Amino acid sequence: MLSISVKEFLFWKKKQLSKGGDEQAFAVLLDCMCGLSTSDINLLNINPEGNLYLNKNLEYLESVWEDHLFKFHPIQYLCGIAFWRNLKLKVTNKVLIPRPETELIIDIVFKIFGNKSQKLFFAELGTGSGAVSIALTLAYPLWEGLATDIDEDVLEIANENYINSSKHSNLRFYCGDWWTPLENFKGKLDLVISNPPYIPKDAYERLPMEVKNFEPKIALLGGEDGLKHIREIIQKAPFFLKEKGWLILENHFDQGEKVKQLLLKNKFTSIEIVNDLSGIGRFTIGRYK
Ligand SMILES: C[S@@+](CC[C@H](N)C(=O)[O-])C[C@H]1O[C@@H](n2cnc3c(N)ncnc32)[C@H](O)[C@@H]1O
């Protein structure tokens, strides 16, 4: 344990942030390496007297921070955790770091399904860290969920995150290509959610280094036009959804209209393009007939 005065620590923190990066990334570093939450730091700022005990020395923390800043290594991978809504999730470079914009999927669900005492059966295709499915099963303890992914290692992490976040057992994990592992649930789903890989090939090549060099390509690339996976998910959705069941998709910033047309072609109704917080049509939703 390293003892350091709070003033010295706050000075050191300011110096690290002056090199670049943002407060949020630094908060991830302090939380995972030193167990200091954002509210702990706020308290230190209010009362900077006394000493602090750290289980990692400042040189080590600085080296991790510089790895993040200068080698573009995502802080979540360096620390092995990501914060998403009110969840603290384990992440490795096998899983996509869950994005803040995806948090809105949960709000879309809240808007559609206001009644939390209703039982419902949902599936998430391509669960990654498990963020969306875990948040839903926590918010709706009566719901039953199926979370799928093509990668066994990813599902292992999602399952670990579920066990660490929930006392319930209302989420099951299945491995396989999109709908394939759900053959037994045809016509039974009230809601299907997916944030599939949707980046078009040319946009993928131009992604920032911290994404392209570190995050799994399989989680990002959506084929030549970005719609390869979305097309497959929409085309087969009618076999799996109940009548009037909902499909909620996240898409690339400019795909809303095309996804809407795909939904129309496959007999979906109540179609809506939902904006994210930057006013971008990030989600497309619809009901099967
Ligand atoms: C954009 S990530 C979304 C992860 C997570 N749901 C989230 O929102 O953070 C897409 C996920 O789909 C999975 N995936 C890619 N191709 C797949 C396929 N053919 N079948 C099932 N899952 C697939 C990837 O492994 C990845 O975890």
Side-chain angles (χ1 to χ4, degrees), residues 96 98 102 124 126-128 132 149-150 154 176-178 195-197 218-219 229:
L96 188 92
T102 306
E124 187 202 359
T127 195
V132 171
D149 207 282
I150 190 119
V154 165
D177 188 11
W178 298 129
N195 169 20
I218 195 172
H229 300 295

Side-chain angles (χ1 to χ4, degrees), residues 62-206:
E62 196 166 336
S63 73
V64 176
W65 184 240
E66 291 189 347
D67 215 0
H68 164 62
L69 290 183
F70 307 128
K71 295 186 187 154
F72 305 99
H73 208 142
I75 196 76
Q76 292 88 343
Y77 289 152
L78 287 167
C79 294
I81 59 158
F83 292 100
W84 193 85
R85 287 188 79 98
N86 53 353
L87 298 172
K88 186 173 172 179
L89 301 164
K90 173 179 171 177
V91 289
T92 69
N93 61 1
K94 286 269 178 189
V95 302
L96 188 92
I97 298 164
R99 302 294 200 268
E101 57 268 27
T102 306
E103 294 185 5
L104 282 179
I105 287 184
I106 307 300
D107 297 305
I108 294 173
V109 175
F110 285 170
K111 225 167 145 187
I112 299 175
F113 300 97
N115 178 3
K116 293 202 172 169
S117 58
Q118 187 190 0
K119 282 192 178 180
L120 200 143
F121 195 30
F122 81 92
E124 187 202 359
L125 307 184
T127 195
S129 61
V132 171
S133 290
I134 295 169
L136 286 181
T137 48
L138 286 172
Y140 296 90
L142 295 180
W143 286 16
E144 286 284 329
L146 310 170
T148 78
D149 207 282
I150 190 119
D151 188 326
E152 279 283 3
D153 295 340
V154 165
L155 282 175
E156 217 169 279
I157 292 163
N159 191 25
E160 203 178 319
N161 281 328
Y162 177 57
I163 291 166
N164 290 337
S165 314
S166 176
K167 292 193 283 299
H168 302 284
S169 52
N170 53 348
L171 183 61
R172 283 175 278 166
F173 296 90
Y174 290 88
C175 189
D177 188 11
W178 298 129
W179 296 102
T180 318
L182 303 183
E183 278 295 313
N184 291 339
F185 305 101
K186 277 189 168 160
K188 292 190 178 152
L189 297 165
D190 299 281
L191 164 69
V192 173
I193 298 156
S194 188
N195 169 20
Y198 54 65
I199 314 259
K201 192 164 174 280
D202 59 343
Y204 178 81
E205 296 306 331
R206 288 182 272 108

Side-chain angles (χ1 to χ4, degrees), residues 17-31:
L17 280 165
S18 73
K19 296 176 189 169
D22 58 57
E23 286 272 358
Q24 254 178 331
F26 206 73
V28 172
L29 176 78
L30 293 183
D31 189 293

Side-chain angles (χ1 to χ4, degrees), residues 28-85:
V28 172
L29 176 78
L30 293 183
D31 189 293
C32 90
M33 300 278 172
C34 311
L36 286 170
S37 67
T38 304
S39 52
D40 292 332
I41 302 293
N42 290 341
L43 284 176
L44 294 178
N45 278 316
I46 294 167
N47 182 15
E49 299 307 320
N51 277 357
L52 188 64
Y53 296 92
L54 301 174
N55 48 11
K56 293 275 187 318
N57 65 47
L58 296 184
E59 288 74 32
Y60 176 71
L61 297 176
E62 196 166 336
S63 73
V64 176
W65 184 240
E66 291 189 347
D67 215 0
H68 164 62
L69 290 183
F70 307 128
K71 295 186 187 154
F72 305 99
H73 208 142
I75 196 76
Q76 292 88 343
Y77 289 152
L78 287 167
C79 294
I81 59 158
F83 292 100
W84 193 85
R85 287 188 79 98

Side-chain angles (χ1 to χ4, degrees), residues 268-280:
F268 278 77
T269 59
S270 313
I271 300 167
E272 208 186 315
I273 298 172
V274 183
N275 286 351
D276 64 15
L277 295 176
S278 335
I280 287 167

